[in-house]
Amino acid sequence: GESVGLHLPTLSVQEGDNSIINCAYSNSASDYFIWYKQESGKGPQFIIDIRSNMDKRQGQRVTVLLNKTVKHLSLQIAATQPGDSAVYFCAEIGSSNDYKLSFGAGTTVTVRA
Amino acid sequence: GAGVSQSPSNKVTEKGKDVELRCDPISGHTALYWYRQSLGQGLEFLIYFQGNSAPDKSGLPSDRFSAERTGGSVSTLTIQRTQQEDSAVYLCASSLGPGPRGYGYTFGSGTRLTVV
């Protein structure tokens, strides 16, 4: 499943397929980005981060891509599992302050068995 | 504690009443933050504490909202004369130092506030 280029509020993906979640950020001065996963009734949980001097970073089953030219961030999840069903948020932080995260609208990912 | 603890987990209150929401950060975390998440929305910053001081209160929506932190630990968010538009999930986070860069910015599970 993929939300190609645009931010879509929902994404349905078949178990075992790869997922791509997109996010457009607003502040060209932002230099640090985080992807969070939020399950129902829980707070956001850190997945992976990336600094603006990088364009790609990989974690366990996840990859974040950063395109500063078009202010776009994406999260790729490999071999999506039922436990990946959640709301995913991107967050940015700028050089003007070090503590205030600005969050995107979120994408709800549903994994079909 | 092992994580950020918030209480109560759910609160239903009548319009016009005052409410207090509590946050226990991770032990040793000097920075504490409150965010608000309205239904289907992203998180909105409310206030940032460093120790017991709040250098940034810019996200508090009105003077009905206030927060304090004591002993560099527990924080309380108070909403006076609650309105229906205050209904949301209030999330607290803490970090070892200011911000998320390498300091482990960890969120609690939130307090779901419903004003009826």
Side-chain angles (χ1 to χ4, degrees), chain B residues 53-103:
Chain B
S53 300
D56 189 347
K57 306 178 184 180
S58 63
L60 294 178
S62 73
D63 58 8
R64 296 186 295 105
F65 288 72
S66 62
E68 65 174 10
R69 189 178 184 196
T70 56
S73 181
V74 172
S75 177
T76 303
L77 177 68
T78 301
I79 308 173
Q80 295 178 310
R81 304 180 304 280
T82 51
Q83 303 294 314
Q84 287 185 331
E85 61 262 28
D86 300 334
S87 296
V89 176
Y90 289 83
L91 289 154
C92 175
S94 71
S95 60
L96 193 59
R101 304 172 207 257
Y103 287 124

Side-chain angles (χ1 to χ4, degrees), chain A residues 28-48:
Chain A
S28 57
S30 293
D31 61 358
Y32 181 69
F33 305 87
I34 306 174
W35 278 100
Y36 285 96
K37 172 186 180 182
Q38 187 175 26
E39 296 175 281
S40 181
K42 297 184 179 179
Q45 177 186 6
F46 173 94
I47 302 174
I48 191 168

